[in-house]
Amino acid sequence: MTSTASSTDTRQGQAPQEQRPSWQQRLRRFGYTAGSRSDVRDRLVPPYAEPSPRLWAALGLSPTLVDRVTRWSAWGGPLLVTLMAGLMRFYRLGSPKAVIFDETYYAKDAWALVHRGFEVNWDKNANDVILQNNGHIPIPSDAAYVVHPPVGKYVIGLGELIFGFNPFGWRFMTALLGTLAILMLCRIGRRLFRSTFLGCVAGTLMALDGLAFVMARTSLLDGVLMFFVVAAFGCLLLDRDRARAKLAAALPVDADGRVRPDAHTADTLFLGWRPWRWTAGLMLGLAMATKWNGLFYAVAFVLMALLWDVGSRKVAGASRPYVAVLKYDLGLTFVATAPVAVSVYVLSWLGWILSPANGSGGYFRDWAAGPGKGGFWSHFMPDWARSLWHYEHEVYEFNVGLHSPHTYMSNPWSWLVDGRPVSYFYESPSPGSDGCPASAGEKCAREVLAIGTPLLWWAACFALLYVLWRWAFRRDWRAGAIACGVAAGYLPWFMYQDRTIFFFYSIVFLPFLCLAVAMLIGALIGPPGSSDTRRVTGAVGAGVLVLLITWNFIYFWPLYTGTAIPIDQWRSRMWLDTWV
C-alpha cells in the first residue's frame, strides 16, 4: 500500500508539462502552452480587459469617473471611430459625377428592380442621359440576363428611391453599409479580444483602408456582401458568448465559490433556441442573395459555430463533447441556418417570380411555359420554381466559364500584396479645369483606384502568419475564427485560376485582415501584467505602425477620391508597375 500511495503521489506531483501527451510535448518548442485550469466560469466567459490602475492614477481620475469612462468607452469608442469613417465616406459622395466602373450595371439594375421587379436592357447612351437629366429617363421593358442575385441591387435601389437616380443616390446605401460595417467591426473586435481598445483599433484600420473606402463610395455588390458577412459573424459571436454563459450558469459551484466542470451538465444541457444563430442564418441568406460566394461563408461559419459548441462543452467538462453537439446543437444549427438562408434567397427573387410569365416579365420567367414545358419535374414543381432553377443553372454555367480577358483582372496570389488594383475612373483634365492647378504645366491625373492601403495590407501578411501560428500552436480560438473569415473569402478563388476575377473581391475578407492586424498589435503591446518597459516599447511600436498606415492612407487620398493632381505626383504614387 505504501508503495502504491507513493507512486500515486509522485504522479500527482509531476509538472503539468510531464503529464501532457507527446504531441503537446513536441508542440512546446513552437510556443504551445496548455490552457489555464482556473475557474471554469472565467474560461467560458472571460472578463473584459480594463486599463491599468496606474494609468488612471497618472491621469488623476477618481474611481467613480474611471468606472463611467470604462462603461462609456464600450460604445463611445466604436461610435467615435464610426463617425470619423462616416464623415470621410460621405464627403463629396457624388464625386466624380459619373457612372464609374461596374456602376454601369448595378446602378441601372437597381433602378429597374425597385420599379419593375426585374432587370432590363438599357440603351447604350443611357449613362449620359441619366447624368444629364438627373435620372429622369424612361425605364425599358425588355428583360436583361444578369448573373447576380437581387438583394445587393435592392439595397442600392433603396438609396436611389430616397435620393434620386444620380451618383449620390446610387452610392448612398453602400456608403451607409460600409460605415456601419466599421461600427460592427469595432464591437466584434471588442467582444473577440475582450478589449475595447483592440476593437477600436480593428475598426480604425478598416476606416483607413483604401479598398474599403473606395468600395463604400461605389455602388458595387461586394461591399454589400461584406456587410452581411460581418453581420453574420457578429451574430455567431454573440450566440457563442450567450451559450457559454448559459453553460457556466448551469455548472456546480464548489465550497470556495468556484465554478467547476460537470460531465453530466455539459453532456446533456440544451442551450435553448439561440435567436442570434437564427439571425446569423438570415444574414447568411442575404449574403448569398447578394453574390453567390456568400455560400462559402455560410458553410464555413456553420462549421465554425459547431466547433465552438464542441469547445464550449469540452471546457464545461463534457465526456463526449462531439456526441453532445450532435444530439443537442447540430439539428437546431442546421434548421437555423440552411433552411433560413435558402428561404431568404428564394424570397429575394419575389419581384422576378411575380412578374408575368408571358414573355413580358423577368428573363427566363417564361421558360417553364415554353422551352421547358412538360417533363418529370413539372408534376412536382410550379412553373416559376422550374424557371428559376433553369435560370440559376445558366448563371452557374456562365460564372464558372467566364474567361474574358480584362485589363484589370488579377490572380488571387497577388491580392494580399496589393498586386493589381482596379482603376474605376480616370480622366486627364487640363491645367485650370476640373481641379487641375493652373500652374501644373501639363495635364493632371484624376483617378479612383480600388487599392488597399499598402502598408496595412503588407502588415496583414505578417499578421496572418501570426494568426496561423497562434491558432496552430496556442490553440487560440480567436485566431481560428479570424483565419476562417479570411479563408472562406479568399481560398475559393484559387479554384478559378483561369476565370476573370478582380482584386476588389477581397473586400469581403478585409474586415478579418483588420482583426488579424489588431491581434498582432495586441501581441506587440503585450499581455496585462507585463513590465512597464515591455508595455511601453510595445505601445511605441504599435503606435508607429498605426501612424504609418494613417500616413499611407492620407498619401493615397487623391487616388481614392478622384482628386486631380499633377501627373508627376500621380506617378510618384505608382509604387509598383502593376498599379498602372
Side-chain angles (χ1 to χ4, degrees):
M1 291 293 295
T2 304
S3 175
T4 303
S6 175
S7 176
T8 301
D9 292 341
T10 301
R11 287 196 301 270
Q12 290 177 345
Q14 286 176 341
Q17 292 87 346
E18 297 172 353
Q19 296 177 17
R20 292 180 194 146
S22 59
W23 68 268
Q24 292 173 310
Q25 291 276 21
R26 291 194 297 269
L27 288 182
R28 285 182 57 212
R29 72 188 66 179
F30 299 105
Y32 174 83
T33 57
S36 169
R37 294 294 180 263
S38 59
D39 190 316
V40 174
R41 178 182 294 277
D42 289 341
R43 295 177 60 204
L44 285 171
V45 189
Y48 284 86
E50 295 185 2
S52 170
R54 289 175 294 179
L55 174 63
W56 302 125
L59 295 175
L61 300 180
S62 67
T64 303
L65 184 58
V66 167
D67 181 64
R68 290 178 181 175
V69 169
T70 301
R71 285 188 285 109
W72 172 86
S73 65
W75 274 102
L79 286 173
L80 285 175
V81 174
T82 305
L83 177 62
M84 174 195 72
L87 290 174
M88 292 192 300
R89 278 150 178 74
F90 282 96
Y91 172 72
R92 299 185 63 194
L93 182 61
S95 177
K97 188 179 179 181
V99 181
I100 65 175
F101 198 60
D102 280 354
E103 286 185 342
T104 189
Y105 304 116
Y106 304 128
K108 291 181 292 189
D109 285 348
W111 189 246
L113 269 174
V114 296
H115 286 87
R116 294 201 182 278
F118 57 89
E119 297 88 341
V120 299
N121 284 311
W122 296 81
D123 292 336
K124 291 184 178 179
N125 66 339
N127 290 348
D128 294 333
V129 175
I130 292 168
L131 294 172
Q132 292 169 5
N133 299 314
N134 196 32
H136 297 292
I137 181 174
I139 303 174
S141 58
D142 182 26
Y145 174 63
V146 297
V147 296
H148 293 302
V151 162
K153 288 167 279 188
Y154 275 121
V155 169
I156 294 170
L158 179 60
E160 294 174 334
L161 286 176
I162 299 172
F163 296 102
F165 193 24
N166 53 62
F168 183 89
W170 63 64
R171 294 169 191 161
F172 175 81
M173 286 304 296
T174 54
L176 178 62
L177 295 190
T179 303
L180 291 178
I182 290 171
L183 175 61
M184 289 193 298
L185 191 66
C186 288
R187 293 288 296 178
I188 285 170
R190 179 180 183 272
R191 186 171 292 272
L192 190 70
F193 302 125
R194 287 310 200 246
S195 166
T196 300
F197 171 73
L198 290 182
C200 290
V201 166
T204 300
L205 292 174
M206 187 168 168
L208 296 174
D209 178 69
L211 180 63
F213 180 80
V214 171
M215 292 297 289
R217 293 167 56 88
T218 312
S219 62
L220 270 63
L221 303 181
D222 301 83
V224 181
L225 170 64
M226 178 271 294
F227 173 84
F228 290 130
V229 165
V230 172
F233 183 80
C235 290
L236 290 176
L237 200 58
L238 272 166
D239 170 76
R240 180 184 186 274
D241 275 3
R242 296 197 174 194
R244 290 169 76 92
K246 189 168 185 176
L247 264 173
L251 292 174
V253 180
D254 64 15
D256 296 326
R258 302 178 67 183
V259 175
R260 292 300 184 185
D262 180 74
H264 177 74
T265 301
D267 279 327
T268 61
L269 183 66
F270 175 62
L271 295 172
W273 290 99
R274 309 178 75 162
W276 284 110
R277 193 157 285 194
W278 290 81
T279 309
L282 172 64
M283 294 297 109
L284 291 172
L286 291 171
M288 291 165 50
T290 300
K291 289 192 77 172
W292 274 11
N293 48 319
L295 176 62
F296 295 114
Y297 273 100
V299 174
F301 281 2
V302 168
L303 292 175
M304 178 182 69
L306 290 172
L307 289 175
W308 284 353
D309 288 341
V310 171
S312 299
R313 291 185 181 272
K314 187 181 295 185
V315 170
S319 58
R320 296 188 298 172
Y322 287 95
V323 174
V325 168
L326 185 64
K327 290 175 62 177
Y328 296 102
D329 301 317
L330 177 60
L332 180 62
T333 299
F334 175 79
V335 173
T337 52
V340 171
V342 171
S343 298
V344 169
Y345 184 87
V346 174
L347 283 173
S348 73
W349 287 89
L350 190 60
W352 181 92
I353 293 170
L354 296 178
S355 69
N358 58 6
S360 62
Y363 201 86
F364 278 139
R365 179 62 184 85
D366 59 343
W367 178 85
K373 188 174 183 179
F376 175 78
W377 291 107
S378 62
H379 301 292
F380 306 97
M381 297 173 63
D383 283 356
W384 69 263
R386 293 194 300 120
S387 294
L388 181 58
W389 181 265
H390 176 72
Y391 196 167
E392 300 295 290
H393 177 266
E394 292 298 310
V395 169
Y396 173 78
E397 293 294 331
F398 173 87
N399 279 319
V400 298
L402 181 60
H403 302 300
S404 303
H406 192 284
T407 304
Y408 292 104
M409 63 186 293
S410 61
N411 190 287
W413 286 107
S414 68
W415 289 358
L416 290 180
V417 293
D418 264 347
R420 183 57 172 164
V422 183
S423 181
Y424 286 175
F425 171 83
Y426 188 89
E427 283 184 349
S428 299
S430 300
S433 65
D434 291 333
C436 182
S439 59
E442 55 181 329
K443 287 186 175 182
C444 291
R446 187 177 179 218
E447 183 174 28
V448 175
L449 186 66
I451 180 175
T453 302
L455 292 184
L456 172 59
W457 282 71
W458 296 343
C461 294
F462 294 98
L464 277 179
L465 293 176
Y466 170 71
V467 162
L468 292 174
W469 170 81
R470 184 98 190 170
W471 178 39
F473 300 118
R474 291 295 181 93
R475 294 297 189 267
D476 192 326
W477 72 273
R478 302 169 302 173
I482 295 170
C484 177
V486 175
Y490 185 36
L491 297 184
W493 292 110
F494 286 91
M495 297 187 295
Y496 306 103
Q497 293 277 324
D498 298 326
R499 188 186 184 278
T500 307
I501 55 179
F502 301 92
F503 166 68
F504 65 81
Y505 293 175
S506 61
I507 183 65
V508 70
F509 62 84
L510 169 64
F512 300 96
L513 293 181
C514 294
L515 288 172
V517 176
M519 192 172 190
L520 178 62
I521 286 175
L524 288 175
I525 295 175
S530 300
S531 66
D532 289 346
T533 302
R534 168 74 176 83
R535 300 280 280 186
V536 170
T537 303
V540 169
V544 168
L545 175 60
V546 173
L547 287 175
L548 286 174
I549 291 171
T550 304
W551 162 82
N552 206 202
F553 176 78
I554 295 171
Y555 181 69
F556 281 91
W557 174 269
L559 301 187
Y560 302 143
T561 57
T563 302
I565 54 176
I567 193 66
D568 287 341
Q569 294 186 22
W570 177 84
R571 291 193 186 103
S572 69
R573 288 164 171 80
M574 295 296 105
W575 289 358
L576 302 178
D577 292 341
T578 54
W579 292 2
V580 180

